[in-house]
Structures are given as C-alpha cells and as structure tokens.
Amino acid sequence: MRPNTPHAVLTIENSVFKGGHYNATSTIKDTFYGLIHGLVAGRYISNTDHGPSRFVLRQMLTFYHAALVLGKVERDGRSLSPTYSMLSNYYPEKAWAHVPDVLTVDGRIELITLCSFGVLCNVLDFDTYRFPGQRRDEKLSAKKREKLVVHDYNAMTLRDRVHCMRTRALALDLVCWLDWKYEGLDWMELFGRTVGQHCAALYAYKAKAEAQDIEGAPHCTLKAIKTQLAGISHVEGLLQRSINRAIEDVLDKADTEDESLSIDNIWDNATLSEKDQDGGYDSSYLMDIYMIITDTRVTRSC
C-alpha cells in the first residue's frame, strides 16, 4: 500500500498487531504529503505521529547527498567511504537504484520534494510546538510560553535540532550542486517556488482545519506554524522571500480551498545536460555557511 493512503484494520477476533512502514524514493511525494496531513489533522486521521519516519527521511537525504554530491556511492553500488557503506554493504548491487534520476521529471521531483522536506523538517516535527514535558492538555504559564514563543524553547532535543540543521544544509547544498551540474532548468528558482508552494499549502490547510475545529499536532496552531514558516531561513534570503511571498498570496485569496501541495505543475519537460566544468564541486565552505544561516533555533534554545 502506498503512503498517504486512507486505510483501516478490521479483525474478527481480539488481536495484537505489530506493523511498520517503508520509505521509498518512488513514493517520496506521498510520504511528504502524509506528514503534512498528520501535522495538521493529527489523531483525526491517524493513531500515531510517525516520528521515526521523519528521522529516516533525514537519513535518506544524507544518503542522496553522499551519492550525488560527494560521489561516495558508485553506480555499481560500491561505496567509496565506510561512513556511507551500510546500504552498499548489504545490497551492493542495489544501492545506486535508490538514488533519484534527476534526468527524468519524476526523479527530479522526488529529489526536490525531499529537499523541501529537509528545509521544513523542524516545521513538520510535532515537538516543535510544545514546551519540554508539556502534556497534551496542559496550559503553559506566561513565563514558559514566552520561552516557547520568543526563544523557540521547545521539546525537540538538542541532538534532533542539530540533525535538522545539518539536513537543511544538505538540502540546500544538493540544490546548489544540481545548479552547478546541470543546465536546462533554473534550479534555485524552482526550488524556491517548490518550498514556497509547500509552505503556502500547509498554511492554507491549517487555516481550514482550525476553522472546522480539527486538532492536529498537540499545541500546533496556525499562529505557531506561521511563526515557524517565517523563520526557516535568513530573512533577506531568496528562499525566505519566496516562502513569505507564497504565504502572502494565500492570505490575499478569499478562498484557499484549491491550494495544492502538488508541485508537478511548476515543472516542465526541460531537457537537461551536464555543464562543462573545470574541476570538481567543492561544498565544504558552503556547508559551513548553510549551517549558520539556515537555523538559529539551536542558539536560541540554549
């Protein structure tokens, strides 16, 4: 069964179940959309918040970056570094098959969708919206609420925050690598429009859910989501401007019912070709910059 699919379990006798989920490159869009549904509609549509899935998606982005940008996985599946060898060691002939083919429309949509998740991984985490130790029905004191709202002091662990910070850096670096590697598309503009459309759709969806009294992640309100979306990147950066502009467009519309998560309509069938490059791609200095400008949450939480 594909992700993001309504389903139910029916038994004719008392039963105990143990289940699991797969995250596949070919269905990454549905997985991403399912996480947004879970954040906005919460227990109304699901019996869990799928926390481990968000960690796995961050790891998938790390693998894609290692394979494409760092060249740590050969096309025959061999790994060039023990750090990225787990999949290659167990399934050497299949490792590269998990990497999206950016020369196809589906492949680049899958990759850009996952990069969009990388940028929004804090926004989509349930723990972002509650104070450490806060119960579902607990009201915060004025002092705790100030720490949560003003300083973003929330229930995410420092380890998860840093991991999200690194994931955002990897996502941005992946897009920069695509822009460096291939011509035929304006990768930076398309990525900005993609993330902006995802943010606008999330905002519109949450507004509709609140209007119908549908509770999502505990303590996750439209106001809280708007605050998180406003602090994704540097305030003057191209990405943040794209996000802000997309949300403003939603606010200007009288009816946001048709706002869609799908990004298929902003992609064309452009023919990509590799650019002639002198030397290899070096992202080491970019990673340091991205780690600084894409997240102030770690420093604000200390």
Side-chain angles (χ1 to χ4, degrees):
M1 182 179 66
R2 295 178 66 89
N4 195 35
T5 302
H7 62 279
V9 177
L10 176 65
T11 65
I12 60 176
E13 297 179 352
N14 293 334
S15 305
V16 176
F17 285 91
K18 180 179 181 181
H21 300 272
Y22 292 98
N23 289 300
T25 302
S26 59
T27 59
I28 205 68
K29 284 194 305 178
D30 292 318
T31 298
F32 176 71
Y33 300 162
L35 290 177
I36 290 181
H37 284 307
L39 180 75
V40 173
R43 294 299 174 89
Y44 184 77
I45 61 169
S46 181
N47 60 356
T48 182
D49 64 3
H50 295 288
S53 180
R54 290 187 286 271
F55 173 77
V56 172
L57 290 175
R58 299 201 301 262
Q59 292 295 83
M60 287 176 66
L61 185 57
T62 300
F63 174 73
Y64 294 161
H65 184 275
L68 293 170
V69 181
L70 303 182
K72 298 296 184 181
V73 178
E74 295 284 4
R75 290 182 180 270
D76 63 4
R78 291 182 297 109
S79 175
L80 303 183
S81 169
T83 307
Y84 305 101
S85 64
M86 183 177 68
L87 183 59
S88 298
N89 286 342
Y90 287 107
Y91 303 101
E93 74 285 0
K94 297 181 180 180
W96 185 263
H98 290 271
V99 180
D101 182 2
V102 298
L103 296 180
T104 67
V105 175
D106 287 341
R108 51 184 177 260
I109 289 178
E110 291 158 4
L111 185 59
I112 291 297
T113 299
L114 189 59
C115 287
S116 180
F117 163 79
V119 169
L120 299 174
C121 54
N122 264 103
V123 179
L124 298 176
D125 196 299
F126 282 34
D127 286 341
T128 295
Y129 303 95
R130 67 182 185 90
F131 196 80
Q134 184 182 10
R135 300 183 303 276
R136 175 181 285 269
D137 58 348
E138 180 183 356
K139 300 294 184 180
L140 294 180
S141 65
K143 184 176 181 179
K144 287 183 177 180
R145 174 153 296 280
E146 180 183 12
K147 293 181 69 176
L148 177 65
V149 175
V150 178
H151 302 288
D152 205 23
Y153 185 78
N154 58 44
M156 287 191 72
T157 65
L158 181 60
R159 180 180 179 181
D160 280 343
R161 284 172 176 257
V162 173
H163 200 250
C164 287
M165 181 176 166
R166 181 174 180 273
T167 302
R168 273 187 293 276
L170 292 175
L172 292 172
D173 193 49
L174 243 174
V175 177
C176 285
W177 177 83
L178 289 169
D179 189 60
W180 173 87
K181 181 75 172 179
Y182 299 103
E183 57 186 357
L185 283 173
D186 188 335
W187 293 98
M188 303 305 292
E189 179 185 357
L190 284 172
F191 181 62
R193 290 173 61 190
T194 297
V195 177
Q197 185 161 331
H198 284 159
C199 292
L202 170 60
Y203 186 89
Y205 186 18
K206 182 61 180 179
K208 291 172 59 180
E210 283 200 352
Q212 298 177 39
D213 293 325
I214 295 176
E215 182 184 2
H219 312 292
C220 176
T221 63
L222 181 63
K223 183 177 180 181
I225 284 182
K226 185 177 182 181
T227 298
Q228 290 296 320
L229 294 178
I232 288 174
S233 186
H234 190 276
V235 65
E236 297 297 332
L238 176 63
L239 180 60
Q240 191 64 56
R241 292 203 304 270
S242 297
I243 294 171
N244 295 343
R245 184 165 54 249
I247 294 175
E248 289 172 2
D249 289 343
V250 169
L251 294 175
D252 290 339
K253 294 178 182 178
D255 184 4
T256 59
E257 184 173 351
D258 294 329
E259 196 65 33
S260 172
L261 285 167
S262 175
I263 61 171
D264 296 14
N265 63 318
I266 67 174
W267 290 84
D268 55 27
N269 293 316
T271 301
L272 300 184
S273 59
E274 293 191 18
K275 296 179 180 179
D276 294 328
Q277 303 289 355
D278 294 328
Y281 179 79
D282 182 10
S283 64
S284 56
Y285 76 99
L286 287 174
M287 288 296 292
D288 291 338
I289 295 174
Y290 291 147
M291 289 282 282
I292 296 172
I293 69 172
T294 62
D295 197 313
T296 58
R297 294 174 174 85
V298 172
T299 54
R300 291 210 308 266
S301 69
C302 296

